[in-house]
Amino acid sequence: MPARRIEGYVIVSADGMLANADHVMPDALKFEGDKNFFTAALDRAALIVHGRHSGEGQPNSPKRKRVILTRGVAALAPDPSNPKASLWNPSGASFETACDFAGVHSGTVAIIGGPAVFGMFMDRYDTFWLSLAPKVQLPGGEPCFPGVPQRSPQQILAAHGLKAGEARVLDPKDDVSVTPWRRLTTPSA
Ligand SMILES: NC(=O)c1ccc[n+]([C@@H]2O[C@H](COP(=O)([O-])OP(=O)(O)OC[C@H]3O[C@@H](n4cnc5c(N)ncnc54)[C@H](OP(=O)(O)O)[C@@H]3O)[C@@H](O)[C@H]2O)c1
């Protein structure tokens, strides 16, 4: 069993977008139930990993250990603006080295975007939590994963060996739900 679990989190519109055409997550994609679900998950995580524009900006954010992807460093460096954060360029250091640098050797690592960062971990998620806002459309927006909209987010997760579990309703009024996509494990002999 690997000591670190890798879990992904995103909320997407019906057309598979995580942000609008201006690369901004619009209020139309923000829902109380989903926010509470996401906040609780991040509070439990040992480490949060995201691209430079995808910080969660929550009250508890300063308490959370994080690794921020950027080409502004060669490999790994402390973030001069946040004592809990490390800056990581994957072309200069592996993910395992980045976790070790952050001092996180076990527990859940939460991957929270953006699209390229989600794409990097597609073959490594233990679980990907896909929240869906089926009444929201963001035409011309920013696709949640590389390969959307040619394929749906669900088709991409399935193509990477993940299987949908039971959806949980988070915001009944807007039909917002979250579905855990779990990696299929080989049954032991
Ligand atoms: N709906 C949701 O659940 C959700 C989830 C996540 C994000 N979002 C939103 O979607 C938008 C995403 O922004 P974004 O597309 O700009 O993505 P992003 O991944 O947050 O930021 C991109 C930046 O991250 C760094 N980066 C990304 N991949 C890298 C790599 N392979 N190697 C080194 N550095 C890398 C680069 O930083 P440097 O420029 O410093 O090199 C790049 O400019 C934001 O508005 C965010 O709020 C929404």
Side-chain angles (χ1 to χ4, degrees):
M1 276 287 280
R4 286 183 285 250
R5 276 185 63 75
I6 302 181
E7 303 205 355
Y9 294 86
V10 74
I11 181 164
V12 302
S13 57
D15 46 355
M17 304 299 150
L18 57 59
N20 64 19
D22 298 323
H23 303 281
V24 171
M25 183 171 164
D27 287 346
L29 258 190
K30 295 177 184 170
F31 301 90
E32 200 56 26
D34 182 65
K35 191 183 81 183
N36 293 341
F37 167 78
F38 185 49
T39 301
L42 296 192
D43 283 343
R44 286 191 303 269
L47 182 66
I48 296 167
V49 174
H50 59 83
R52 196 163 55 82
H53 305 144
S54 289
E56 73 280 13
Q58 297 181 347
N60 283 349
S61 295
K63 298 182 192 161
R64 297 175 182 147
K65 277 194 178 179
R66 69 189 63 237
V67 164
I68 302 167
L69 279 84
T70 176
R71 294 185 179 85
V73 297
L76 284 159
D79 183 342
S81 65
N82 179 350
K84 292 261 189 191
S86 307
L87 303 176
W88 173 41
N89 185 339
S91 67
S94 69
F95 170 65
E96 284 70 24
T97 308
C99 293
D100 289 343
F101 186 82
V104 174
H105 308 288
S106 62
T108 299
V109 179
I111 312 293
I112 65 165
V117 181
F118 284 134
M120 277 179 51
F121 289 91
M122 222 21 109
D123 289 320
R124 304 195 56 176
Y125 295 115
D126 293 289
T127 302
F128 195 100
W129 298 89
L130 180 67
S131 295
L132 178 66
K135 296 182 183 172
V136 179
Q137 297 273 349
L138 294 172
E142 184 166 357
C144 64
F145 306 145
V148 173
Q150 294 80 4
R151 289 185 297 162
S152 70
Q154 293 84 349
Q155 285 172 322
I156 289 173
L157 293 169
H160 286 273
L162 296 159
K163 188 168 185 286
E166 204 170 319
R168 183 163 119 208
V169 175
L170 297 174
D171 291 271
K173 183 171 76 66
D174 295 294
D175 294 334
V176 173
S177 63
V178 64
T179 301
W181 285 74
R182 297 195 169 93
R183 188 158 302 284
L184 299 170
T185 48
T186 314
S188 51

